Short mmCIF file of all heavy atoms in Angstrom, two decimals:
data_model
loop_
_atom_site.label_atom_id
_atom_site.label_comp_id
_atom_site.label_asym_id
_atom_site.label_seq_id
_atom_site.Cartn_x
_atom_site.Cartn_y
_atom_site.Cartn_z
N MET A 752 35.94 96.53 86.18
CA MET A 752 37.38 96.31 85.93
C MET A 752 38.16 97.49 85.66
O MET A 752 37.84 98.32 84.91
CB MET A 752 37.51 95.29 84.71
CG MET A 752 38.99 94.90 84.40
SD MET A 752 38.96 93.61 83.16
CE MET A 752 40.80 93.68 82.73
N ALA A 753 39.20 97.58 86.35
CA ALA A 753 40.04 98.85 86.21
C ALA A 753 40.75 99.01 84.88
O ALA A 753 41.32 98.03 84.57
CB ALA A 753 41.05 98.85 87.40
N ASP A 754 40.72 100.18 84.36
CA ASP A 754 41.45 100.27 83.15
C ASP A 754 42.78 101.09 83.55
O ASP A 754 43.08 101.28 84.80
CB ASP A 754 40.74 101.14 82.04
CG ASP A 754 40.29 102.51 82.55
OD1 ASP A 754 40.93 103.03 83.52
OD2 ASP A 754 39.44 103.10 81.98
N ASP A 755 43.64 101.45 82.58
CA ASP A 755 44.94 102.02 82.94
C ASP A 755 44.74 103.30 83.68
O ASP A 755 45.61 103.57 84.49
CB ASP A 755 45.73 102.19 81.68
CG ASP A 755 46.22 100.91 81.05
OD1 ASP A 755 46.17 99.85 81.83
OD2 ASP A 755 46.73 100.89 79.91
N ALA A 756 43.84 104.13 83.36
CA ALA A 756 43.61 105.32 83.99
C ALA A 756 43.27 105.21 85.39
O ALA A 756 43.86 105.89 86.27
CB ALA A 756 42.56 106.17 83.31
N ASP A 757 42.44 104.16 85.71
CA ASP A 757 42.08 104.04 87.13
C ASP A 757 43.35 103.48 87.88
O ASP A 757 43.56 103.93 89.07
CB ASP A 757 40.99 102.86 87.22
CG ASP A 757 39.59 103.39 86.78
OD1 ASP A 757 39.44 104.66 86.93
OD2 ASP A 757 38.76 102.62 86.48
N ILE A 758 44.09 102.61 87.28
CA ILE A 758 45.26 102.16 87.95
C ILE A 758 46.30 103.24 88.20
O ILE A 758 46.82 103.41 89.27
CB ILE A 758 45.97 101.04 87.12
CG1 ILE A 758 45.09 99.82 87.00
CG2 ILE A 758 47.29 100.71 87.67
CD1 ILE A 758 45.42 98.74 86.05
N ALA A 759 46.32 104.15 87.19
CA ALA A 759 47.27 105.33 87.38
C ALA A 759 46.81 106.26 88.57
O ALA A 759 47.55 106.66 89.27
CB ALA A 759 47.32 106.04 86.07
N ALA A 760 45.44 106.45 88.54
CA ALA A 760 44.93 107.29 89.58
C ALA A 760 45.10 106.63 90.92
O ALA A 760 45.46 107.38 91.95
CB ALA A 760 43.45 107.44 89.35
N ASP A 761 44.94 105.29 91.01
CA ASP A 761 45.21 104.70 92.37
C ASP A 761 46.69 104.83 92.79
O ASP A 761 46.93 105.03 93.92
CB ASP A 761 44.86 103.17 92.22
CG ASP A 761 43.28 102.96 92.17
OD1 ASP A 761 42.59 103.87 92.45
OD2 ASP A 761 42.92 101.79 91.99
N HIS A 762 47.56 104.71 91.77
CA HIS A 762 48.97 104.77 92.04
C HIS A 762 49.26 106.23 92.56
O HIS A 762 49.88 106.39 93.49
CB HIS A 762 49.77 104.50 90.83
CG HIS A 762 51.25 104.48 91.10
ND1 HIS A 762 51.92 103.49 91.89
CD2 HIS A 762 52.23 105.23 90.58
CE1 HIS A 762 53.12 103.79 91.93
NE2 HIS A 762 53.39 104.77 91.11
N GLU A 763 48.72 107.23 91.92
CA GLU A 763 48.87 108.57 92.32
C GLU A 763 48.46 108.72 93.75
O GLU A 763 49.08 109.42 94.53
CB GLU A 763 48.13 109.50 91.36
CG GLU A 763 48.44 110.87 91.53
CD GLU A 763 49.73 111.29 90.73
OE1 GLU A 763 50.36 110.44 90.16
OE2 GLU A 763 50.08 112.56 90.81
N GLN A 764 47.34 108.19 94.04
CA GLN A 764 46.67 108.45 95.33
C GLN A 764 47.52 107.80 96.44
O GLN A 764 47.73 108.34 97.50
CB GLN A 764 45.28 107.86 95.35
CG GLN A 764 44.60 108.08 96.70
CD GLN A 764 44.34 109.69 96.92
OE1 GLN A 764 43.88 110.41 96.02
NE2 GLN A 764 44.73 110.10 98.05
N THR A 765 48.10 106.56 96.05
CA THR A 765 48.99 105.91 96.94
C THR A 765 50.17 106.70 97.28
O THR A 765 50.63 106.96 98.42
CB THR A 765 49.35 104.58 96.31
OG1 THR A 765 48.25 103.72 96.21
CG2 THR A 765 50.35 103.80 97.35
N LEU A 766 50.74 107.44 96.27
CA LEU A 766 51.91 108.22 96.44
C LEU A 766 51.57 109.40 97.34
O LEU A 766 52.34 109.79 98.18
CB LEU A 766 52.42 108.74 95.15
CG LEU A 766 53.05 107.74 94.27
CD1 LEU A 766 53.59 108.36 92.92
CD2 LEU A 766 54.28 107.12 94.94
N LEU A 767 50.38 109.94 97.09
CA LEU A 767 49.96 111.10 97.97
C LEU A 767 49.74 110.67 99.33
O LEU A 767 50.17 111.37 100.26
CB LEU A 767 48.67 111.71 97.36
CG LEU A 767 48.75 112.48 96.10
CD1 LEU A 767 47.34 112.91 95.68
CD2 LEU A 767 49.62 113.71 96.39
N ASP A 768 49.22 109.52 99.55
CA ASP A 768 48.97 109.00 100.97
C ASP A 768 50.32 108.81 101.57
O ASP A 768 50.51 109.14 102.73
CB ASP A 768 48.24 107.71 100.91
CG ASP A 768 46.76 107.86 100.49
OD1 ASP A 768 46.27 109.01 100.53
OD2 ASP A 768 46.12 106.87 100.29
N LEU A 769 51.27 108.31 100.94
CA LEU A 769 52.58 107.97 101.48
C LEU A 769 53.27 109.32 101.87
O LEU A 769 53.83 109.51 102.91
CB LEU A 769 53.55 107.30 100.52
CG LEU A 769 53.10 105.83 100.29
CD1 LEU A 769 53.92 105.14 99.12
CD2 LEU A 769 53.23 105.07 101.59
N ARG A 770 53.11 110.37 100.95
CA ARG A 770 53.73 111.58 101.18
C ARG A 770 53.04 112.22 102.40
O ARG A 770 53.69 112.79 103.25
CB ARG A 770 53.52 112.51 99.91
CG ARG A 770 53.98 113.99 100.15
CD ARG A 770 55.51 114.06 100.23
NE ARG A 770 56.10 113.47 99.07
CZ ARG A 770 56.39 114.05 97.96
NH1 ARG A 770 56.03 115.46 97.86
NH2 ARG A 770 56.96 113.50 96.93
N LEU A 771 51.76 112.19 102.56
CA LEU A 771 51.01 112.77 103.62
C LEU A 771 51.49 112.03 104.91
O LEU A 771 51.68 112.71 105.92
CB LEU A 771 49.53 112.57 103.41
CG LEU A 771 48.67 113.20 104.53
CD1 LEU A 771 48.89 114.69 104.68
CD2 LEU A 771 47.14 112.91 104.23
N ALA A 772 51.61 110.72 104.87
CA ALA A 772 52.01 110.01 106.11
C ALA A 772 53.34 110.42 106.59
O ALA A 772 53.67 110.62 107.77
CB ALA A 772 51.96 108.48 105.89
N GLU A 773 54.23 110.68 105.52
CA GLU A 773 55.66 111.18 105.88
C GLU A 773 55.54 112.52 106.50
O GLU A 773 56.26 112.81 107.47
CB GLU A 773 56.47 111.10 104.61
CG GLU A 773 57.82 111.65 104.82
CD GLU A 773 58.75 110.70 105.71
OE1 GLU A 773 58.34 109.65 105.98
OE2 GLU A 773 59.82 111.24 106.12
N VAL A 774 54.80 113.42 105.88
CA VAL A 774 54.63 114.78 106.47
C VAL A 774 54.15 114.61 107.96
O VAL A 774 54.58 115.38 108.77
CB VAL A 774 53.73 115.63 105.53
CG1 VAL A 774 53.42 116.91 106.26
CG2 VAL A 774 54.31 115.88 104.21
N LEU A 775 53.06 113.89 108.13
CA LEU A 775 52.47 113.88 109.42
C LEU A 775 53.42 113.19 110.35
O LEU A 775 53.58 113.78 111.51
CB LEU A 775 51.28 113.02 109.42
CG LEU A 775 50.03 113.60 108.62
CD1 LEU A 775 48.81 112.55 108.74
CD2 LEU A 775 49.65 114.94 108.93
N ARG A 776 54.16 112.19 110.00
CA ARG A 776 55.17 111.62 110.88
C ARG A 776 56.42 112.55 111.26
O ARG A 776 56.67 112.74 112.35
CB ARG A 776 55.86 110.45 110.12
CG ARG A 776 56.75 109.65 111.20
CD ARG A 776 57.29 108.39 110.47
NE ARG A 776 58.21 108.82 109.35
CZ ARG A 776 59.50 109.35 109.67
NH1 ARG A 776 59.92 109.42 110.90
NH2 ARG A 776 60.32 109.73 108.67
N THR A 777 56.76 113.33 110.25
CA THR A 777 57.83 114.34 110.45
C THR A 777 57.39 115.42 111.32
O THR A 777 58.18 115.87 112.18
CB THR A 777 58.30 114.87 109.07
OG1 THR A 777 58.68 113.74 108.29
CG2 THR A 777 59.41 115.76 109.27
N ALA A 778 56.18 115.83 111.11
CA ALA A 778 55.69 117.05 111.95
C ALA A 778 55.05 116.64 113.18
O ALA A 778 54.50 117.40 113.91
CB ALA A 778 54.65 117.75 110.94
N ARG A 779 55.23 115.23 113.49
CA ARG A 779 54.40 114.71 114.65
C ARG A 779 53.00 114.89 114.42
O ARG A 779 52.52 114.91 113.37
CB ARG A 779 54.99 115.33 115.93
CG ARG A 779 56.47 114.94 116.14
CD ARG A 779 57.01 115.66 117.41
NE ARG A 779 58.47 115.38 117.44
CZ ARG A 779 58.99 114.26 118.01
NH1 ARG A 779 58.29 113.31 118.48
NH2 ARG A 779 60.37 114.16 118.05
N LEU A 780 52.28 115.20 115.59
CA LEU A 780 50.79 115.30 115.39
C LEU A 780 50.28 116.67 115.06
O LEU A 780 50.41 117.53 115.95
CB LEU A 780 50.12 114.87 116.73
CG LEU A 780 50.43 113.37 117.13
CD1 LEU A 780 49.91 113.07 118.46
CD2 LEU A 780 49.92 112.42 116.16
N PRO A 781 49.79 116.86 113.85
CA PRO A 781 49.43 118.21 113.47
C PRO A 781 48.37 118.82 114.27
O PRO A 781 48.20 120.05 114.37
CB PRO A 781 48.99 118.10 111.95
CG PRO A 781 48.64 116.64 111.81
CD PRO A 781 49.51 115.88 112.82
N ALA A 782 47.45 117.97 114.80
CA ALA A 782 46.43 118.52 115.66
C ALA A 782 46.99 119.26 116.84
O ALA A 782 46.26 120.00 117.46
CB ALA A 782 45.47 117.45 116.02
N ARG A 783 48.25 118.91 117.18
CA ARG A 783 48.75 119.50 118.29
C ARG A 783 49.69 120.72 118.04
O ARG A 783 50.45 121.25 118.87
CB ARG A 783 49.46 118.44 119.27
CG ARG A 783 48.52 117.31 119.76
CD ARG A 783 49.22 116.34 120.62
NE ARG A 783 49.65 116.99 121.85
CZ ARG A 783 50.64 116.55 122.72
NH1 ARG A 783 51.33 115.50 122.34
NH2 ARG A 783 50.90 117.13 123.82
N VAL A 784 49.84 120.98 116.81
CA VAL A 784 50.68 122.17 116.42
C VAL A 784 50.19 123.42 117.20
O VAL A 784 49.07 123.62 117.34
CB VAL A 784 50.52 122.44 114.95
CG1 VAL A 784 51.26 123.86 114.63
CG2 VAL A 784 51.38 121.34 114.08
N GLY A 785 51.24 123.94 117.84
CA GLY A 785 50.91 125.08 118.76
C GLY A 785 50.81 124.77 120.14
O GLY A 785 50.68 125.53 121.08
N ILE A 786 50.63 123.39 120.43
CA ILE A 786 50.45 122.90 121.80
C ILE A 786 51.69 122.14 122.12
O ILE A 786 52.30 122.32 123.15
CB ILE A 786 49.18 122.06 121.88
CG1 ILE A 786 48.02 122.92 121.57
CG2 ILE A 786 49.21 121.44 123.30
CD1 ILE A 786 46.75 122.13 121.61
N ALA A 787 52.10 121.27 121.20
CA ALA A 787 53.30 120.45 121.43
C ALA A 787 54.55 120.96 120.67
O ALA A 787 54.35 121.39 119.55
CB ALA A 787 53.02 118.98 121.00
N CYS A 788 55.66 120.86 121.30
CA CYS A 788 56.91 121.32 120.68
C CYS A 788 57.08 120.43 119.46
O CYS A 788 56.95 119.14 119.44
CB CYS A 788 58.09 121.06 121.65
SG CYS A 788 59.58 121.23 120.93
N LEU A 789 57.43 120.99 118.22
CA LEU A 789 57.68 120.26 117.06
C LEU A 789 58.94 119.44 117.13
O LEU A 789 59.13 118.46 116.34
CB LEU A 789 57.70 121.23 115.89
CG LEU A 789 56.26 121.78 115.45
CD1 LEU A 789 56.52 122.73 114.29
CD2 LEU A 789 55.31 120.73 115.18
N ILE A 790 59.88 119.76 117.97
CA ILE A 790 61.14 119.21 118.02
C ILE A 790 61.05 118.00 119.05
O ILE A 790 61.42 116.85 118.67
CB ILE A 790 62.27 120.04 118.40
CG1 ILE A 790 62.40 121.18 117.37
CG2 ILE A 790 63.49 119.37 118.64
CD1 ILE A 790 63.39 122.28 117.67
N CYS A 791 60.60 118.24 120.21
CA CYS A 791 60.71 117.05 121.14
C CYS A 791 59.26 116.45 121.55
O CYS A 791 59.13 115.49 122.07
CB CYS A 791 61.29 117.61 122.53
SG CYS A 791 60.37 118.64 123.54
N GLY A 792 58.25 117.20 121.09
CA GLY A 792 56.88 116.69 121.25
C GLY A 792 56.32 117.05 122.71
O GLY A 792 55.17 116.77 122.88
N GLU A 793 57.16 117.60 123.45
CA GLU A 793 56.57 117.95 124.76
C GLU A 793 55.68 119.18 124.73
O GLU A 793 55.71 119.97 123.81
CB GLU A 793 57.77 118.34 125.72
CG GLU A 793 58.65 117.22 126.14
CD GLU A 793 57.93 116.22 127.00
OE1 GLU A 793 57.21 116.61 127.85
OE2 GLU A 793 58.04 115.08 126.71
N GLU A 794 54.74 119.26 125.61
CA GLU A 794 53.84 120.37 125.59
C GLU A 794 54.49 121.69 125.82
O GLU A 794 55.23 121.82 126.80
CB GLU A 794 52.64 120.10 126.65
CG GLU A 794 51.56 121.08 126.54
CD GLU A 794 50.30 120.72 127.38
OE1 GLU A 794 50.18 119.46 127.48
OE2 GLU A 794 49.66 121.61 127.87
N ILE A 795 54.05 122.65 124.98
CA ILE A 795 54.55 124.06 125.20
C ILE A 795 53.77 124.69 126.28
O ILE A 795 52.58 124.55 126.28
CB ILE A 795 54.44 124.88 123.88
CG1 ILE A 795 55.33 124.18 122.77
CG2 ILE A 795 54.95 126.36 124.21
CD1 ILE A 795 55.05 124.78 121.40
N SER A 796 54.41 125.26 127.17
CA SER A 796 53.80 125.82 128.40
C SER A 796 52.75 126.85 127.99
O SER A 796 52.94 127.59 126.98
CB SER A 796 54.72 126.43 129.41
OG SER A 796 55.28 127.61 128.85
N ALA A 797 51.60 126.98 128.76
CA ALA A 797 50.59 127.92 128.46
C ALA A 797 51.14 129.36 128.41
O ALA A 797 50.76 130.17 127.70
CB ALA A 797 49.39 127.81 129.45
N ALA A 798 52.13 129.70 129.42
CA ALA A 798 52.70 130.96 129.52
C ALA A 798 53.27 131.30 128.14
O ALA A 798 53.25 132.39 127.69
CB ALA A 798 53.56 131.08 130.71
N ARG A 799 54.20 130.28 127.80
CA ARG A 799 54.91 130.55 126.50
C ARG A 799 53.95 130.70 125.32
O ARG A 799 54.23 131.61 124.44
CB ARG A 799 55.85 129.40 126.20
CG ARG A 799 56.68 129.53 124.98
CD ARG A 799 57.82 128.58 124.90
NE ARG A 799 58.35 128.39 123.53
CZ ARG A 799 59.17 129.30 122.98
NH1 ARG A 799 59.53 130.37 123.67
NH2 ARG A 799 59.66 129.04 121.74
N ARG A 800 52.99 129.96 125.26
CA ARG A 800 51.96 130.02 124.20
C ARG A 800 51.22 131.38 124.19
O ARG A 800 50.82 132.06 123.20
CB ARG A 800 51.05 128.91 124.21
CG ARG A 800 51.53 127.64 123.53
CD ARG A 800 50.54 126.57 123.53
NE ARG A 800 50.43 125.83 124.72
CZ ARG A 800 49.12 125.60 125.23
NH1 ARG A 800 48.08 125.96 124.76
NH2 ARG A 800 49.16 124.99 126.39
N ALA A 801 51.02 131.88 125.44
CA ALA A 801 50.37 133.16 125.56
C ALA A 801 51.23 134.24 125.13
O ALA A 801 50.78 135.21 124.49
CB ALA A 801 49.85 133.36 127.03
N ALA A 802 52.50 134.12 125.47
CA ALA A 802 53.47 135.18 125.06
C ALA A 802 53.77 135.15 123.59
O ALA A 802 53.99 136.19 122.97
CB ALA A 802 54.66 135.06 125.83
N LEU A 803 53.84 133.88 123.07
CA LEU A 803 54.26 133.65 121.69
C LEU A 803 53.22 132.68 121.03
O LEU A 803 53.53 131.42 120.97
CB LEU A 803 55.66 133.09 121.55
CG LEU A 803 56.75 133.99 121.98
CD1 LEU A 803 58.06 133.15 122.17
CD2 LEU A 803 57.09 135.08 121.02
N PRO A 804 52.06 133.27 120.57
CA PRO A 804 51.06 132.36 120.10
C PRO A 804 51.54 131.44 118.88
O PRO A 804 50.99 130.39 118.60
CB PRO A 804 50.01 133.42 119.61
CG PRO A 804 50.21 134.55 120.35
CD PRO A 804 51.76 134.64 120.61
N ASN A 805 52.47 131.95 118.12
CA ASN A 805 52.97 131.19 117.04
C ASN A 805 54.17 130.34 117.38
O ASN A 805 54.66 129.61 116.48
CB ASN A 805 53.46 132.24 115.89
CG ASN A 805 52.20 132.86 115.33
OD1 ASN A 805 51.15 132.32 115.24
ND2 ASN A 805 52.45 134.16 114.92
N ALA A 806 54.62 130.13 118.70
CA ALA A 806 55.70 129.37 119.04
C ALA A 806 55.36 127.87 118.69
O ALA A 806 54.19 127.41 118.99
CB ALA A 806 55.88 129.51 120.43
N CYS A 807 56.22 127.18 118.11
CA CYS A 807 56.04 125.79 117.73
C CYS A 807 57.08 124.86 118.38
O CYS A 807 57.21 123.76 118.15
CB CYS A 807 56.00 125.59 116.26
SG CYS A 807 57.44 126.15 115.30
N THR A 808 57.98 125.52 119.21
CA THR A 808 58.90 124.78 120.00
C THR A 808 58.82 125.21 121.45
O THR A 808 58.48 126.24 121.74
CB THR A 808 60.31 125.03 119.43
OG1 THR A 808 60.59 126.48 119.63
CG2 THR A 808 60.45 124.59 118.02
N CYS A 809 59.26 124.20 122.28
CA CYS A 809 59.29 124.57 123.69
C CYS A 809 60.49 125.46 124.09
O CYS A 809 61.35 125.60 123.17
CB CYS A 809 59.34 123.35 124.53
SG CYS A 809 60.90 122.34 124.45
N VAL A 810 60.56 126.00 125.19
CA VAL A 810 61.70 126.83 125.71
C VAL A 810 62.99 126.23 125.52
O VAL A 810 63.96 126.74 124.98
CB VAL A 810 61.51 127.38 127.10
CG1 VAL A 810 62.61 128.19 127.60
CG2 VAL A 810 60.15 128.12 127.17
N ASP A 811 63.00 124.89 126.00
CA ASP A 811 64.34 124.20 125.90
C ASP A 811 64.80 123.98 124.50
O ASP A 811 65.99 124.27 124.27
CB ASP A 811 64.18 122.78 126.53
CG ASP A 811 63.98 122.81 128.07
OD1 ASP A 811 64.18 123.97 128.64
OD2 ASP A 811 63.52 121.80 128.65
N CYS A 812 63.98 123.61 123.58
CA CYS A 812 64.34 123.41 122.23
C CYS A 812 64.73 124.75 121.46
O CYS A 812 65.64 124.75 120.84
CB CYS A 812 63.26 122.65 121.44
SG CYS A 812 63.19 120.93 121.91
N GLN A 813 63.88 125.63 121.86
CA GLN A 813 64.24 126.96 121.27
C GLN A 813 65.51 127.54 121.67
O GLN A 813 66.35 128.00 120.91
CB GLN A 813 63.13 128.03 121.66
CG GLN A 813 63.25 129.36 120.98
CD GLN A 813 63.07 129.27 119.44
OE1 GLN A 813 62.23 128.45 118.97
NE2 GLN A 813 63.78 130.10 118.75
N GLY A 814 65.85 127.25 122.99
CA GLY A 814 67.12 127.66 123.42
C GLY A 814 68.23 127.00 122.85
O GLY A 814 69.26 127.50 122.43
N ARG A 815 68.11 125.65 122.65
CA ARG A 815 69.10 124.88 121.99
C ARG A 815 69.30 125.38 120.49
O ARG A 815 70.38 125.44 120.05
CB ARG A 815 68.76 123.36 122.00
CG ARG A 815 69.29 122.68 123.25
CD ARG A 815 69.18 121.15 122.97
NE ARG A 815 67.81 120.70 122.95
CZ ARG A 815 67.00 120.27 123.90
NH1 ARG A 815 67.49 120.46 125.13
NH2 ARG A 815 65.88 119.84 123.75
N PHE A 816 68.18 125.56 119.95
CA PHE A 816 68.16 126.08 118.44
C PHE A 816 68.94 127.37 118.38
O PHE A 816 69.79 127.54 117.46
CB PHE A 816 66.81 126.13 117.96
CG PHE A 816 66.56 126.62 116.59
CD1 PHE A 816 66.91 125.69 115.50
CD2 PHE A 816 66.27 127.91 116.27
CE1 PHE A 816 66.81 126.05 114.23
CE2 PHE A 816 66.20 128.28 114.91
CZ PHE A 816 66.40 127.38 113.93
N GLU A 817 68.71 128.24 119.31
CA GLU A 817 69.27 129.61 119.18
C GLU A 817 70.71 129.61 119.53
O GLU A 817 71.47 130.48 119.01
CB GLU A 817 68.46 130.53 120.09
CG GLU A 817 67.06 130.90 119.44
CD GLU A 817 66.31 131.81 120.40
OE1 GLU A 817 66.81 132.15 121.45
OE2 GLU A 817 65.16 132.23 119.97
N ARG A 818 71.13 128.57 120.38
CA ARG A 818 72.47 128.53 120.71
C ARG A 818 73.39 127.64 119.75
O ARG A 818 74.57 127.63 119.88
CB ARG A 818 72.67 127.88 122.15
CG ARG A 818 72.28 128.90 123.19
CD ARG A 818 72.78 128.34 124.60
NE ARG A 818 72.17 127.03 124.91
CZ ARG A 818 71.13 126.81 125.45
NH1 ARG A 818 70.35 127.82 125.85
NH2 ARG A 818 70.57 125.61 125.73
N ARG A 819 72.69 127.12 118.84
CA ARG A 819 73.31 126.19 117.77
C ARG A 819 74.26 127.08 117.01
O ARG A 819 74.05 128.11 116.46
CB ARG A 819 72.30 125.60 116.83
CG ARG A 819 72.78 124.52 115.93
CD ARG A 819 71.73 123.97 115.07
NE ARG A 819 71.16 125.10 114.23
CZ ARG A 819 70.25 124.86 113.29
NH1 ARG A 819 69.75 123.67 113.23
NH2 ARG A 819 69.75 125.70 112.58
N PRO A 820 75.57 126.54 116.93
CA PRO A 820 76.55 127.24 116.13
C PRO A 820 76.10 127.47 114.69
O PRO A 820 75.55 126.60 114.09
CB PRO A 820 77.70 126.31 116.21
CG PRO A 820 77.47 125.45 117.28
CD PRO A 820 76.07 125.28 117.45
N ALA A 821 76.35 128.62 114.14
CA ALA A 821 75.86 128.93 112.80
C ALA A 821 76.75 128.11 111.76
O ALA A 821 77.87 127.85 112.07
CB ALA A 821 76.05 130.44 112.47
ZN1 ZN B 1934 60.97 120.86 122.73
#
């Protein structure tokens, strides 16, 4: 039978799970980070990834981002 500490731990874990789910949803699929654009989810071209290994957005989104008014 669960005591208060167990219930509190379960509640904490549930909050962590919800937070994690939100992070994963917001970041789209983390397993594809570096492969898929974080903004639109389209695959980043191999050429762009070769040139910019840390690129996390596709050329189109990066262009929009850089042209965005400050
Ligand atoms: Zn994109």
Side-chain angles (χ1 to χ4, degrees):
M752 179 172 166
D754 60 19
D755 287 349
D757 286 337
I758 293 170
D761 282 351
H762 185 63
E763 190 82 357
Q764 187 60 50
T765 300
L766 289 179
L767 286 174
D768 287 347
L769 289 174
R770 175 68 58 86
L771 181 61
E773 177 66 14
V774 168
L775 295 184
R776 189 183 65 75
T777 304
R779 297 177 187 274
L780 299 174
R783 299 185 67 201
V784 166
I786 297 174
C788 171
L789 288 180
I790 297 175
C791 71
E793 290 298 315
E794 189 170 327
I795 298 171
S796 71
R799 176 165 167 77
R800 280 186 279 132
L803 294 168
N805 293 324
C807 55
T808 57
C809 69
V810 174
D811 289 347
C812 290
Q813 186 64 34
R815 273 196 293 276
F816 181 74
E817 290 176 355
R818 285 195 302 273
R819 189 178 60 176

